[in-house]
Coordinates of all heavy atoms in Angstrom, one line a residue:
V22 N 249.9 142.2 37.3 CA 249.2 140.9 37.2 C 247.8 141.2 37.7 O 247.6 141.7 38.8 CB 249.9 139.8 38.0 CG1 249.1 138.5 37.9 CG2 251.2 139.6 37.5
V23 N 246.8 140.8 37.0 CA 245.4 140.9 37.4 C 244.8 139.5 37.6 O 244.9 138.7 36.6 CB 244.6 141.7 36.3 CG1 243.1 141.8 36.6 CG2 245.2 143.1 36.2
H24 N 244.1 139.3 38.6 CA 243.5 138.0 38.9 C 242.0 138.1 38.3 O 241.3 138.9 38.5 CB 243.4 137.8 40.4 CG 242.9 136.5 40.9 ND1 242.5 136.2 42.2 CD2 242.9 135.2 40.2 CE1 242.3 134.9 42.2 NE2 242.4 134.4 41.1
T25 N 241.8 137.0 37.5 CA 240.4 136.9 36.9 C 239.8 135.6 37.2 O 240.4 134.7 37.9 CB 240.6 136.9 35.4 OG1 241.2 135.8 34.9 CG2 241.4 138.2 34.9
Y26 N 238.6 135.4 36.8 CA 237.9 134.0 37.0 C 238.7 133.1 36.1 O 238.9 133.4 34.9 CB 236.4 134.1 36.7 CG 235.6 135.0 37.7 CD1 235.0 136.1 37.2 CD2 235.6 134.6 39.0 CE1 234.3 136.9 38.1 CE2 234.9 135.4 39.9 CZ 234.2 136.5 39.4 OH 233.5 137.3 40.3
S27 N 239.1 132.0 36.6 CA 239.8 130.9 35.8 C 238.9 130.5 34.5 O 237.7 130.2 34.7 CB 240.2 129.7 36.6 OG 241.0 128.9 35.9
G28 N 239.5 130.5 33.5 CA 238.8 130.1 32.2 C 238.2 131.3 31.5 O 237.6 131.1 30.4
H29 N 238.2 132.5 32.1 CA 237.5 133.6 31.5 C 238.6 134.7 31.1 O 238.3 135.9 30.8 CB 236.6 134.3 32.5 CG 235.4 133.4 32.8 ND1 234.3 133.9 33.2 CD2 235.2 132.1 32.7 CE1 233.4 132.9 33.4 NE2 234.0 131.8 33.1
E30 N 239.9 134.3 31.0 CA 240.9 135.3 30.7 C 240.8 136.0 29.4 O 240.9 137.2 29.4 CB 242.3 134.5 30.7 CG 242.7 133.9 32.0 CD 242.2 132.5 32.2 OE1 241.5 132.0 31.2 OE2 242.5 131.9 33.2
R31 N 240.4 135.2 28.3 CA 240.2 135.9 27.0 C 239.0 136.9 27.0 O 239.0 137.9 26.4 CB 240.1 134.9 26.0 CG 241.4 134.2 25.6 CD 241.3 133.3 24.5 NE 242.6 132.6 24.2 CZ 243.0 131.5 24.8 NH1 242.2 130.9 25.6 NH2 244.1 130.9 24.6
K32 N 238.0 136.5 27.8 CA 236.7 137.3 27.9 C 237.1 138.5 28.7 O 236.6 139.6 28.3 CB 235.6 136.4 28.6 CG 234.3 137.1 28.6 CD 233.3 136.2 29.2 CE 231.9 136.8 29.1 NZ 230.8 136.0 29.7
V33 N 237.8 138.4 29.7 CA 238.2 139.6 30.5 C 239.0 140.5 29.7 O 238.9 141.7 29.7 CB 238.9 139.2 31.8 CG1 239.6 140.4 32.5 CG2 238.0 138.4 32.7
K34 N 240.0 139.9 28.9 CA 240.8 140.8 28.0 C 239.9 141.5 27.0 O 240.1 142.8 26.8 CB 241.8 139.9 27.2 CG 242.6 140.7 26.3 CD 243.5 139.8 25.5 CE 244.4 140.7 24.5 NZ 245.1 139.9 23.5
A35 N 238.9 140.9 26.4 CA 238.0 141.6 25.5 C 237.2 142.6 26.3 O 237.0 143.8 25.7 CB 237.1 140.6 24.9
N36 N 236.8 142.4 27.5 CA 236.0 143.3 28.2 C 236.9 144.5 28.6 O 236.4 145.7 28.5 CB 235.5 142.8 29.6 CG 234.4 141.8 29.4 OD1 233.7 141.8 28.3 ND2 234.1 141.0 30.4
L37 N 238.1 144.3 28.9 CA 239.1 145.4 29.2 C 239.4 146.3 28.0 O 239.4 147.5 28.1 CB 240.4 144.8 29.8 CG 240.5 144.6 31.3 CD1 241.7 143.8 31.6 CD2 240.5 146.0 32.0
E38 N 239.5 145.6 26.9 CA 239.8 146.4 25.6 C 238.6 147.3 25.3 O 238.8 148.5 25.0 CB 240.0 145.4 24.4 CG 241.4 144.8 24.5 CD 241.6 143.6 23.6 OE1 240.6 143.2 23.0 OE2 242.7 143.2 23.4
K39 N 237.3 146.8 25.4 CA 236.2 147.6 25.3 C 236.1 148.8 26.2 O 235.8 149.9 25.9 CB 234.9 146.8 25.3 CG 234.7 145.9 24.1 CD 233.5 145.0 24.4 CE 233.4 143.9 23.4 NZ 232.4 142.9 23.7
I41 N 238.6 150.1 28.0 CA 239.6 151.1 27.8 C 239.3 152.1 26.7 O 239.4 153.3 26.8 CB 241.0 150.4 27.5 CG1 241.5 149.7 28.8 CG2 242.0 151.3 27.0 CD1 242.6 148.6 28.5
R52 N 248.9 147.6 27.0 CA 248.9 146.2 26.5 C 248.2 145.2 27.5 O 248.4 145.4 28.7 CB 250.3 145.6 26.3 CG 251.0 146.3 25.0 CD 252.3 145.8 24.8 NE 252.3 144.5 24.2 CZ 253.4 143.7 24.1 NH1 254.6 144.2 24.5 NH2 253.3 142.5 23.7
I53 N 247.4 144.3 27.0 CA 246.8 143.3 27.8 C 247.3 141.9 27.2 O 247.2 141.7 26.0 CB 245.2 143.4 27.7 CG1 244.7 144.8 28.0 CG2 244.7 142.3 28.6 CD1 243.3 145.1 27.6
L54 N 247.7 141.1 28.1 CA 248.3 139.9 27.7 C 247.8 138.7 28.4 O 247.8 138.7 29.6 CB 249.8 139.9 27.8 CG 250.7 138.8 27.3 CD1 250.7 138.7 25.7 CD2 252.1 139.0 27.7
V55 N 247.3 137.7 27.7 CA 247.0 136.4 28.3 C 248.1 135.5 28.0 O 248.3 135.0 26.9 CB 245.6 135.8 27.7 CG1 245.3 134.5 28.4 CG2 244.5 136.8 28.0
P56 N 249.0 135.2 28.9 CA 250.2 134.4 28.7 C 249.8 132.9 28.3 O 249.1 132.2 29.1 CB 250.9 134.4 30.0 CG 250.5 135.6 30.7 CD 249.0 135.7 30.4
T57 N 250.2 132.6 27.1 CA 249.9 131.2 26.6 C 251.2 130.6 26.0 O 252.1 131.3 25.7 CB 248.8 131.2 25.5 OG1 249.2 132.0 24.5 CG2 247.5 131.7 26.0
E58 N 251.2 129.3 25.8 CA 252.3 128.6 25.2 C 251.7 127.5 24.3 O 250.5 127.1 24.6 CB 253.3 128.0 26.2 CG 252.7 127.0 27.1 CD 253.7 126.5 28.1 OE1 254.8 126.8 28.1 OE2 253.2 125.7 29.0
K72 N 247.0 125.9 22.1 CA 247.5 127.0 23.0 C 247.0 126.8 24.4 O 245.7 126.7 24.6 CB 247.1 128.5 22.6 CG 247.9 128.9 21.3 CD 247.7 130.3 21.1 CE 248.6 130.8 20.0 NZ 248.8 132.2 19.9
K73 N 247.9 126.7 25.4 CA 247.5 126.4 26.8 C 247.9 127.7 27.6 O 249.0 128.3 27.4 CB 248.2 125.3 27.4 CG 247.9 124.0 26.8 CD 246.6 123.5 27.4 CE 246.3 122.0 27.0 NZ 245.2 121.6 27.7
R74 N 247.0 128.1 28.6 CA 247.4 129.3 29.4 C 248.5 128.9 30.3 O 248.5 127.8 30.9 CB 246.1 129.7 30.2 CG 245.0 130.3 29.3 CD 243.8 130.7 30.1 NE 243.3 129.7 31.0 CZ 242.5 128.7 30.7 NH1 242.0 128.7 29.4 NH2 242.0 127.9 31.6
I75 N 249.5 129.8 30.4 CA 250.6 129.5 31.4 C 250.2 129.8 32.8 O 250.6 129.0 33.7 CB 251.8 130.5 31.0 CG1 252.3 130.1 29.6 CG2 252.9 130.3 31.9 CD1 253.3 131.1 29.1
F76 N 249.4 130.8 33.0 CA 248.9 131.2 34.3 C 247.4 131.2 34.4 O 246.8 132.3 34.3 CB 249.5 132.5 34.8 CG 251.0 132.7 34.7 CD1 251.6 133.5 33.8 CD2 251.8 131.9 35.5 CE1 252.9 133.6 33.6 CE2 253.2 131.9 35.4 CZ 253.8 132.8 34.5
P77 N 246.7 130.1 34.5 CA 245.3 130.2 34.6 C 244.7 131.1 35.6 O 245.2 131.0 36.8 CB 244.8 128.7 34.8 CG 246.0 127.9 34.3 CD 247.2 128.7 34.6
G78 N 243.8 131.9 35.3 CA 243.2 132.8 36.2 C 243.9 134.2 36.3 O 243.6 135.0 37.2
Y79 N 244.9 134.4 35.5 CA 245.7 135.6 35.5 C 245.9 136.3 34.2 O 246.1 135.4 33.2 CB 247.0 135.5 36.3 CG 246.9 135.0 37.7 CD1 246.9 133.7 38.1 CD2 246.7 136.0 38.7 CE1 246.7 133.3 39.4 CE2 246.6 135.6 40.0 CZ 246.5 134.3 40.4 OH 246.4 133.9 41.7
I80 N 246.0 137.5 34.0 CA 246.4 138.2 32.8 C 247.4 139.3 33.3 O 247.5 139.6 34.4 CB 245.2 138.8 32.1 CG1 244.5 139.9 32.9 CG2 244.3 137.7 31.5 CD1 243.4 140.6 32.1
L81 N 248.2 139.8 32.3 CA 249.2 140.8 32.5 C 248.7 142.1 31.8 O 248.3 142.0 30.7 CB 250.6 140.4 31.9 CG 251.2 139.2 32.6 CD1 252.5 138.9 31.7 CD2 251.6 139.5 34.0
L82 N 248.9 143.2 32.5 CA 248.7 144.5 31.9 C 249.8 145.4 32.0 O 250.5 145.5 33.0 CB 247.5 145.2 32.8 CG 246.1 144.7 32.7 CD1 245.2 145.5 33.6 CD2 245.6 144.8 31.3
V94 N 240.3 149.2 35.5 CA 240.6 147.8 35.5 C 239.8 147.0 36.6 O 239.2 146.0 36.3 CB 242.1 147.5 35.6 CG1 242.4 146.0 35.8 CG2 242.9 148.2 34.4
T97 N 236.1 146.3 35.9 CA 235.8 145.5 34.6 C 235.2 144.1 35.0 O 235.7 143.5 35.9 CB 237.0 145.4 33.8 OG1 237.5 146.7 33.5 CG2 236.7 144.6 32.5
P98 N 234.1 143.8 34.4 CA 233.5 142.4 34.7 C 234.5 141.3 34.5 O 235.2 141.3 33.5 CB 232.4 142.3 33.6 CG 232.0 143.7 33.3 CD 233.3 144.5 33.4
G99 N 234.5 140.4 35.5 CA 235.5 139.3 35.4 C 236.8 139.5 36.1 O 237.5 138.5 36.4
V100 N 237.1 140.7 36.5 CA 238.3 141.0 37.2 C 238.1 140.8 38.7 O 237.1 141.4 39.3 CB 238.8 142.5 36.9 CG1 240.0 142.8 37.8 CG2 239.3 142.5 35.5
I101 N 238.9 140.1 39.4 CA 238.8 139.9 40.9 C 239.6 141.0 41.5 O 239.2 141.5 42.5 CB 239.3 138.5 41.2 CG1 238.3 137.4 40.6 CG2 239.4 138.3 42.7 CD1 238.8 136.0 40.7
G102 N 240.8 141.2 41.0 CA 241.6 142.3 41.5 C 243.1 142.2 41.1 O 243.4 141.3 40.3
M125 N 256.6 133.4 24.8 CA 255.5 133.4 23.9 C 255.8 133.8 22.5 O 255.0 133.8 21.6 CB 254.4 134.4 24.5 CG 253.8 134.0 25.7 SD 252.7 135.2 26.3 CE 251.6 135.4 25.0

Side-chain angles (χ1 to χ4, degrees):
V22 179
V23 175
H24 191 195
T25 68
Y26 295 116
S27 188
H29 293 203
E30 298 86 359
R31 287 185 183 90
K32 187 175 184 180
V33 170
K34 179 182 178 186
N36 287 343
L37 269 169
E38 288 169 345
K39 289 177 192 169
I41 291 165
R52 291 178 68 191
I53 305 166
L54 185 68
V55 178
T57 57
E58 62 185 352
K72 285 193 173 196
K73 293 279 189 179
R74 291 181 310 277
I75 298 172
F76 307 114
Y79 296 94
I80 60 174
L81 294 173
L82 287 178
V94 174
T97 299
V100 170
I101 295 171
M125 291 179 60

